[in-house]
Amino acid sequence: MAQLAIYCRKSQENKDRDSTSIDEQEKEGRIKAKELDLEPLLFIEDTSSGKLDLQDRPVLMDMLQKINAKDSNIKAVFAYDTSRLYRNIETQSKFLAIVKRKNVELYFKSGRFDWTDPHSKLLHNILSATDEFFVDLTSIKIKGTLRSKAEEGKVNGAVLPYGYTKDKNNYLKIDNEESEIVKKIFDDFIDGKTSTEIRNWLIDNDIPTRYNKIGGTNKIIHKGRNETRIYDKANSTWTTGTILQIIRNPIYKGKRRWGDEFFDAPIVVDPITWEKANNSYINRNKGSLRGKSTDHKYLLTPLLQCGCGQSLNGRSNKLENYYGCAGKRYKEKKCNSKYIPVNVLDSIITKLIYGNLYSTVKESFSDNNSDKREELQTRIKSLEADLKNIENNKLSVENYLADRTYNKVQYFRQVKRLDSKANEIKIKKANIEESLKSLKGDTNILREIEELTSIAHSYIDYPFEDTHPDFMKNYTDAVFKGYLALKLPFLERQKTFRKFIKNILVKWKPESKLFEITISYKLPIEDELYLMDSLTLHVVDAKKRQTQWANTIKMEKHRKITIDDVQVRLQNYAL
């Protein structure tokens, strides 16, 4: 049945202490409801000032949210007089905008509100120029609803923490089977087991994860490599991160976190057990709540990727620092890649990049790139066509707004989506245009690359400078450009690598006992492929079959191995 919202408020201002009582306001409202043949719906706000903003008047906000709802049955609003509803211009304008937009009639004891009044129309039109308030109104309602559910102990649609489920009334309750797993995780952690050991036990015993049960897909974005992957949740496995999240989540000791607040929740482990586990975690990580800290800086993360698809991360043991596949922590990944010492791979990549980048880019400026230029020009034309289509779509959206197919919320949402898509296309277009500019012979990038190694000169004392200025400097720069770059500070090399390199793929080939290293650039040049033996002694350019790096000092320790032997083996593989 259609309803009349009756708003009653007892003012807290001194001059209103003797004003009309709540009972009198309600009585007048019910008379109006009977007169209009509408069902009365009461909204009573005790002792509140009409000068307050809307967000400080919860009952008035609740009434407006109910009016603004899609399935609202409220057809009219009654208040004893205007002072009951508002006493500041901002509240008045917002209130009138809502009721006007929803075609809700407004009544006072003195009579029906006159929408033809120029002042009222102006207020309404000013606010109607933007949908910001309507979005805020919905947002406040949703946040308030979710918080109320959390306070009452109900679930709110999010993925439930492992160990919990819900009853038929949506109240959070303990999952008997999963809670036993949670208790074991806490007990094992307190007993000294690592998160990896606990994780492996869960996998060995086929304990399903939360995602195994709910299914669906999950998208992971790797910003360092500009890569997005889609995973099937049904195939997800336990991770050490999940174990630590369980350990650190206070819900298991009965404190459900909601923003900055905590609400009571069913207890899975007693608070003492929870504190013991978390103290153990902090002690293991030297007081850090973010995990184990590392003293070594790893130059190539996050550029490195293993052939199995996982990242190659920096690690350390008592003997050395090395790069290892993240998947090796998880036995079900079955990654058979070998570790590579950090100093070896850092040196190799530094030598290859600084030693070859200038000549490689210069070669790309030659006239042999007509096909590449044509391809880039075709892509630019395609992106320009996409931009034109977006502009046409924006015109259509404006027409939808004009003929009221879209309301303003829908209009702004569509415009925002189209603008975001257009921005992505413009960025792609700018990147391709930069690549095309390089291929046409812009020497700025060449000059920049050439100057990279010159920075190292400030860190080296060259002999004969008094008698032969710059002689040794130029000789070193020309002959040992890659080795010279090893003298560069860590941050200088890291900045260069992240500016020019998109990805470094390292594949271990067990059948041949060698590594394949593929370097992909952010520049319009082809990927480079290098081969390295299993002992990390020698590197060959697979395309040119030329030696690029050799560890002669390490080879001296292997009497049966010579540079020629390793070089021939790698070159033969390249053939």
Side-chain angles (χ1 to χ4, degrees), residues 73-162:
N73 291 322
I74 298 175
K75 304 302 179 184
V77 173
F78 172 84
Y80 194 83
D81 54 38
T82 57
S83 68
R84 301 302 97 191
L85 292 171
Y86 39 72
R87 281 196 171 189
N88 69 55
I89 194 69
E90 183 179 352
T91 300
Q92 179 185 3
S93 60
K94 291 178 178 179
F95 178 86
L96 293 177
I98 288 285
V99 296
K100 179 64 174 177
R101 177 175 177 169
K102 299 297 290 188
N103 294 319
V104 171
E105 293 293 343
L106 180 57
Y107 292 91
F108 300 104
K109 184 181 179 182
S110 58
R112 184 169 169 268
F113 182 78
D114 184 9
W115 286 106
T116 62
D117 176 62
H119 180 65
S120 299
K121 289 179 66 177
L122 176 61
L123 290 174
H124 167 66
N125 290 336
I126 289 174
L127 191 63
S128 294
T130 175
D131 271 324
E132 181 180 359
F133 174 63
F134 299 102
V135 173
D136 290 343
L137 191 67
T138 303
S139 176
I140 292 171
K141 180 179 180 180
I142 292 173
K143 289 180 180 178
T145 301
L146 295 178
R147 184 194 175 282
S148 296
K149 285 186 176 180
E151 187 175 17
E152 294 174 14
K154 291 185 176 182
V155 302
N156 51 36
V159 177
L160 296 176
Y162 191 85

Side-chain angles (χ1 to χ4, degrees), residues 163-223:
Y164 289 94
T165 184
K166 61 182 179 180
D167 63 18
K168 62 181 180 180
N169 294 318
N170 268 0
Y171 282 96
L172 188 70
K173 73 171 187 176
I174 293 175
D175 183 301
N176 294 330
E177 186 176 343
E178 290 183 354
S179 63
E180 292 302 316
I181 299 298
V182 172
K183 291 175 184 177
K184 178 172 175 54
I185 290 174
F186 273 87
D187 290 340
D188 287 351
F189 200 79
I190 292 172
D191 289 341
K193 290 187 178 179
T194 65
S195 55
T196 300
E197 290 174 329
I198 296 172
R199 172 197 174 276
N200 290 340
W201 181 89
L202 294 169
I203 293 174
D204 290 342
N205 287 272
D206 296 323
I207 306 299
T209 66
R210 168 68 75 231
Y211 281 157
N212 290 152
K213 296 181 178 181
I214 64 177
T217 58
N218 189 27
K219 180 166 70 173
I220 297 179
I221 300 175
H222 193 301
K223 294 182 179 179

Side-chain angles (χ1 to χ4, degrees), residues 5 50 64 71 82 98 118 154 171 333 348 403 486 488 543:
L64 288 177
D71 57 350
T82 57
I98 288 285
K154 291 185 176 182
Y171 282 96
K333 299 289 184 184
I348 292 171
D403 63 16
L486 293 175
L488 283 169
K543 296 179 181 179

Side-chain angles (χ1 to χ4, degrees), residues 389-405:
N389 288 335
I390 288 176
E391 290 302 318
N392 292 334
N393 287 338
K394 288 180 73 173
L395 291 175
S396 299
V397 170
E398 290 178 2
N399 291 333
Y400 290 151
L401 177 64
D403 63 16
R404 297 188 179 182
T405 302

Side-chain angles (χ1 to χ4, degrees), residues 4-102:
L4 171 70
I6 303 172
Y7 180 80
C8 307
R9 179 178 67 84
K10 179 66 174 178
S11 177
Q12 65 181 12
E13 286 86 10
N14 289 333
K15 62 182 180 180
D16 275 349
R17 288 285 169 87
D18 297 326
S19 63
T20 308
S21 67
I22 295 290
D23 291 341
E24 179 63 22
Q25 294 175 52
E26 180 183 342
K27 178 182 176 183
E28 293 293 337
R30 291 186 179 278
I31 292 173
K32 180 57 67 175
K34 188 174 182 180
E35 177 185 323
L36 298 174
D37 194 24
L38 297 175
E39 179 185 355
L41 181 62
L42 289 174
F43 294 90
I44 299 176
E45 198 150 33
D46 293 322
T47 317
S48 176
S49 173
K51 295 179 181 179
L52 294 175
D53 292 332
L54 274 175
Q55 60 266 28
D56 298 319
R57 298 177 62 184
V59 176
L60 183 58
M61 279 293 292
D62 181 46
M63 184 177 74
L64 288 177
Q65 287 165 348
K66 285 183 168 59
I67 292 173
N68 195 48
K70 290 183 179 180
D71 57 350
S72 177
N73 291 322
I74 298 175
K75 304 302 179 184
V77 173
F78 172 84
Y80 194 83
D81 54 38
T82 57
S83 68
R84 301 302 97 191
L85 292 171
Y86 39 72
R87 281 196 171 189
N88 69 55
I89 194 69
E90 183 179 352
T91 300
Q92 179 185 3
S93 60
K94 291 178 178 179
F95 178 86
L96 293 177
I98 288 285
V99 296
K100 179 64 174 177
R101 177 175 177 169
K102 299 297 290 188

Side-chain angles (χ1 to χ4, degrees), residues 182 185-186 189 240-253 255 257 262 269 273-275 277-282 285 287-292:
V182 172
I185 290 174
F186 273 87
F189 200 79
T240 54
T242 302
I243 303 301
L244 296 179
Q245 285 175 5
I246 289 175
I247 295 294
R248 294 167 58 185
N249 195 337
I251 193 172
Y252 295 108
K253 65 174 180 178
K255 295 298 178 183
R257 183 187 291 113
F262 288 89
V269 297
T273 299
W274 190 92
E275 295 294 342
N278 277 263
N279 288 336
S280 175
Y281 176 80
I282 294 173
N285 294 286
S288 171
L289 285 175
R290 295 184 59 84
K292 186 177 180 180

